[in-house]
Amino acid sequence: MILLALALHAHAASEEEVFEAWSNGEFLTAGRLADELLADKPSSMTGNFVKGYVLWKEEGEHAGARHYLDKADATYARRNKSGTLPEDGWRMHLRIMEAKLDILSEMGLPEEELALMEVFNQDFSPGVDIQRAWPLMRLGRYPKAREVALAHVDAPEDWKRGAALNSMCAIESEALQRVAAFEWCKKALDHERSGPAPDVTIDANNAAGSALGVLDFDTSLDLAREATTGSSMGVANPYQTLVIHYTRAADGSRALKAVEGMVDWRSRQPASMRDLARSSTDEVLALFLYAAGRPHRARELIDRAIQFPDRAGLTSSEPLQAEGRHAALRLLVRRLEAERADEEAATKGFFARVGHWLGSWLPDTGVWEDRATLRAALTDSRRQRATFRVYLDGGLGLEPWLLVQLADDIGHGVFHAAVDEAADEDAVIEEEPPPSLDPIDAYYDALRAGAAFSAGDWSEVRALAEPAWTRIPEADALLRAELAAMIAESAWRRGDEKVAIDWFGRAIALDPGALRRLGIALPARVSGAGGAVADDVETLLGRSPRLRYANGAFDIAVTGSGSAVSICLRDPYGAQIGCSNAGAPAVAEGDDPPSEWELAQHHVLTWTERTFALPTGSALIDLDSLDGTTLRQGQRERELLDKVIEGL
């Protein structure tokens, strides 16, 4: 053992070897050599710097990196005081300080970052100045942050102008200035485009978000697409923006492709950036899967996002914003899980159904926990206002189609007060608002309609939701689908069946998943013509919580036999909306084939899953096609979705 230790000691790397490997970009080798050096000389300035740098850049271990960089800095201070530094020792001190500043920024520690900047400015000239704008903004010191940024928008140095414009984009976004944020974000993007080697990822992604703030959905989409042409070396993943956009627009096919792009983009990011946004990737996937009717996998992802939150240093958001948003999404996912559980229980025997019904009355402590987290995140008045002022930064960042479902969870009193305050603030928008902002007040009527729906105030739902539905842009398809479903349900409850059926049709055309998310049953008559399995399917559909018996409404025809049973949904005029044939369920080798009753269960659950979820193929309704082609295409897309989910 002594001989082995002496041998290792004799072959310890030198500071020159460690620094050379680091200088050549051979970071893994540099890290290994740094370990050897530190085993021999634990206080080595070069060894500690390189070890910290490699932990930061290659492994995303920010806390560990800080530890080693602090040790390197302490060695510098000690040697500087004793006069034993080499002539160019200041260069290593500069590298250490720059790395520490970047790490503090990425970790979201603005107070410490500003304090270290003061030390930096005492030790080096020129010091840091424009860099102060970002941590000042993160601390909510908007006037001072603006002062610092505006002082550099015309700086002779190109990088300072870019940093100043980017900072102004973020400052006005966080200050809830819709128009000003859009203008500054466009200027930042134009500046980056004009450079000799433009990398538009961050600036185009920021501009896409600010365009959404002025309800310019087309421009937002174009800018998000442009962002994907840039580098994946930063923290931004523009495919997240695209997934959210296509999901919001009920374009499930493109959303699914954007999910693949998002996962691929993340795999190409450096470790130090990739791990900063792991939680947001899980959150966006969970959002898409929630809309696609896959709550169980969505629950796993949002649980993971909550357990392993992002560091928010390189974005303008705060940890509480993500905590509240994640809690809200998990509440909705829990609700959808309950709807799916009800659908499955309806296919079981009598005692299983009774047991499920009794179990549903037991309190879910997880719901209480998530509601408490959501409400705590909204106790800050500024964050609350920003949350309800749709499509603005500074709040929880909840999409309107999600927020409209949360009145019960937030509390009706708080919900109504927050909506009214947000509407009042947006009634007085900055000078020269673009025409795209004209329907902004319709969003607040939509939120009020959501609260009325959860309270069962059916007349108020129609009074608010119908005019809002006509004015909200078509790009907000999921919100419009939910409003249509609310109008349909309110009309049905008030006995206006003809109006209800019309609005049910509109909801299904936009996103049939809206009915399940809102717990609404479609009025329909089930008819069967086939063998014993078809008869069982008809019986089970009659129990489904997704349907309520009604003549003269929608029609569900069950035909075929065995594994070849087809279930077709038609509107009251006979136009086919879609057909589903689940085929036979997979059977493990050695297991018995499914019974007729099990086949019927399989057909019903598969049909329900596919019918009442965001289509991931083309639009679900095709009045010109009566052969089920549309739904079959959707089934192919959903098989692709299954493969993507399995690979996550």
Side-chain angles (χ1 to χ4, degrees):
M1 292 295 293
I2 295 174
L3 291 175
L4 176 61
L6 289 173
L8 291 173
H9 184 80
H11 290 88
S14 67
E15 290 194 340
E16 291 75 14
E17 290 174 318
V18 173
F19 185 75
E20 182 180 4
W22 176 84
S23 299
N24 293 334
E26 301 168 358
F27 297 132
L28 294 179
T29 299
R32 177 178 56 79
L33 294 175
D35 286 335
E36 295 179 11
L37 175 59
L38 291 174
D40 184 43
K41 298 180 180 179
S43 62
S44 167
M45 182 167 62
T46 299
N48 280 296
F49 165 72
V50 171
K51 178 66 175 178
Y53 187 95
V54 172
L55 283 174
W56 167 37
K57 286 292 187 180
E58 294 301 308
E59 301 181 29
E61 291 288 342
H62 290 67
R66 285 187 72 189
H67 168 73
Y68 284 100
L69 291 170
D70 285 343
K71 288 182 67 176
D73 206 19
T75 299
Y76 167 81
R78 188 167 55 252
R79 293 184 64 182
N80 185 45
K81 184 177 181 179
S82 64
T84 58
L85 277 174
E87 185 177 343
D88 64 347
W90 65 271
R91 296 183 187 277
M92 180 57 72
H93 182 42
L94 176 62
R95 297 185 187 102
I96 294 168
M97 292 290 283
E98 288 177 335
K100 289 175 68 173
L101 283 171
D102 285 346
I103 288 173
L104 289 174
S105 177
E106 291 179 10
M107 293 183 73
L109 300 170
E111 289 276 15
E112 294 184 43
E113 188 180 359
L114 285 172
L116 189 61
M117 285 179 176
E118 290 186 11
V119 176
F120 187 99
N121 289 344
Q122 293 171 7
D123 292 347
F124 298 98
S125 180
V128 293
D129 192 6
I130 177 56
Q131 296 94 321
R132 294 169 58 237
W134 194 267
L136 286 168
M137 175 207 65
R138 299 255 318 153
L139 292 169
R141 303 175 191 171
Y142 302 125
K144 184 61 178 178
R146 283 194 189 97
E147 178 186 327
V148 172
L150 289 173
H152 292 85
V153 293
D154 295 317
E157 299 92 344
D158 182 76
W159 73 269
K160 285 188 177 180
R161 293 198 303 276
L165 292 169
N166 180 272
S167 296
M168 285 302 299
C169 164
I171 291 165
E172 298 303 347
S173 295
E174 285 298 302
L176 311 183
Q177 301 299 304
R178 294 183 186 274
V179 179
F182 186 39
E183 294 303 319
W184 282 110
C185 290
K186 286 192 297 182
K187 289 178 181 179
L189 176 57
D190 288 341
H191 175 269
E192 183 62 31
R193 286 169 173 163
S194 65
D199 181 1
V200 300
T201 299
I202 291 176
D203 290 302
N205 202 54
N206 289 342
S210 65
L212 196 60
V214 295
L215 306 186
D216 191 342
F217 293 92
D218 291 339
T219 297
S220 178
L221 176 58
D222 290 342
L223 290 168
R225 287 170 173 163
E226 182 181 356
T228 65
T229 65
S231 165
S232 61
M233 299 304 291
V235 70
N237 187 333
Y239 281 99
Q240 291 184 358
T241 305
L242 289 175
V243 172
I244 295 170
H245 175 93
Y246 290 130
T247 301
R248 178 196 308 125
D251 192 342
S253 180
R254 285 191 174 92
L256 178 55
K257 292 176 183 176
V259 165
E260 294 182 283
M262 178 178 67
V263 174
D264 176 67
W265 183 281
R266 184 176 183 274
S267 71
R268 292 185 280 115
Q269 288 179 297
S272 60
M273 295 291 107
R274 181 172 62 245
D275 291 339
L276 289 178
R278 175 177 56 188
S279 173
S280 63
T281 301
D282 285 343
E283 176 195 342
V284 172
L285 286 169
L287 178 75
F288 169 68
L289 292 171
Y290 168 68
R294 303 297 182 91
H296 302 312
R297 183 59 174 137
R299 172 70 177 276
E300 293 173 5
L301 288 164
I302 197 62
D303 283 349
R304 190 167 72 182
I306 291 170
Q307 186 177 2
F308 301 104
D310 287 340
R311 299 185 184 95
L314 296 185
T315 70
S316 58
S317 62
E318 300 173 340
L320 267 176
Q321 293 172 250
E323 289 175 18
R325 184 172 64 253
H326 292 164
L329 181 54
R330 188 160 67 177
L331 278 167
L332 297 175
V333 169
R334 289 181 194 274
R335 203 169 294 159
L336 192 61
E337 282 184 308
E339 292 292 334
R340 290 288 298 271
D342 289 347
E343 293 163 7
E344 185 173 352
T347 68
K348 301 293 181 63
F350 173 77
F351 291 107
R353 297 200 307 275
V354 171
H356 173 77
W357 179 80
L358 292 173
S360 68
W361 285 92
L362 295 174
D364 186 344
T365 57
V367 170
W368 297 348
E369 179 185 345
D370 287 338
R371 281 181 172 171
T373 301
L374 173 58
R375 292 173 180 179
L378 293 174
T379 54
D380 179 82
S381 60
R382 181 187 173 281
R383 191 181 302 119
Q384 183 187 98
R385 295 198 314 274
T387 298
F388 282 85
R389 290 186 67 188
V390 295
Y391 295 125
L392 280 183
D393 289 337
L396 302 191
L398 290 168
E399 290 275 307
W401 67 274
L402 300 176
L403 189 56
V404 76
Q405 304 176 55
L406 290 169
D408 280 343
D409 303 293
I410 293 171
H412 281 261
V414 173
F415 192 93
H416 280 288
V419 171
D420 290 344
E421 187 173 6
D424 289 343
E425 289 190 12
D426 267 328
V428 186
I429 296 178
E430 307 112 284
E431 295 181 3
E432 300 182 12
S436 60
L437 272 172
D438 289 346
I440 187 67
D441 58 309
Y443 280 91
Y444 299 117
D445 281 342
L447 295 179
R448 294 182 182 107
F453 178 82
S454 66
D457 189 345
W458 308 119
S459 60
E460 186 74 358
V461 170
R462 287 193 65 183
L464 292 166
E466 286 194 25
W469 189 90
T470 63
R471 297 185 59 216
I472 288 174
E474 293 183 1
D476 237 323
L478 292 194
L479 176 60
R480 298 179 81 238
E482 288 168 350
L483 290 175
M486 291 178 193
I487 297 167
E489 181 70 6
S490 64
W492 187 268
R493 296 283 188 125
R494 291 171 62 83
D496 199 341
E497 296 182 2
K498 184 176 181 181
V499 170
I501 290 169
D502 175 59
W503 281 103
F504 274 122
R506 297 188 199 193
I508 292 172
L510 288 167
D511 169 30
L515 275 67
R516 177 189 271 150
R517 292 196 299 273
L518 296 173
I520 294 174
L522 182 71
R525 182 177 66 89
V526 182
S527 59
V533 173
D535 291 341
D536 289 340
V537 167
E538 184 179 355
T539 299
L540 293 180
L541 285 173
R543 298 179 189 166
S544 173
R546 294 283 68 80
L547 304 173
R548 64 184 123 193
Y549 181 81
N551 282 316
F554 291 83
D555 182 71
I556 299 170
V558 182
T559 58
S561 61
S563 61
V565 166
S566 290
I567 307 174
C568 295
L569 176 64
R570 299 186 180 91
D571 72 12
Y573 310 103
Q576 186 162 286
I577 295 173
C579 286
S580 171
N581 184 332
V587 178
E589 186 176 350
D591 288 352
D592 294 331
S595 65
E596 291 181 342
W597 185 259
E598 289 170 336
L599 271 178
Q601 289 176 310
H602 173 67
H603 284 301
V604 169
L605 291 175
T606 302
W607 176 81
T608 306
E609 177 190 320
R610 292 173 176 173
T611 301
F612 296 99
L614 174 69
T616 51
S618 57
L620 185 61
I621 282 188
D622 182 359
L623 298 181
D624 297 322
S625 175
L626 303 180
D627 62 358
T629 302
T630 300
L631 190 54
R632 283 199 296 272
Q633 180 177 350
Q635 290 176 212
R636 289 195 296 271
E637 295 287 351
R638 294 185 75 80
E639 290 170 2
L640 175 59
L641 172 60
D642 289 334
K643 292 179 181 178
V644 172
I645 293 172
E646 289 171 6
L648 293 178

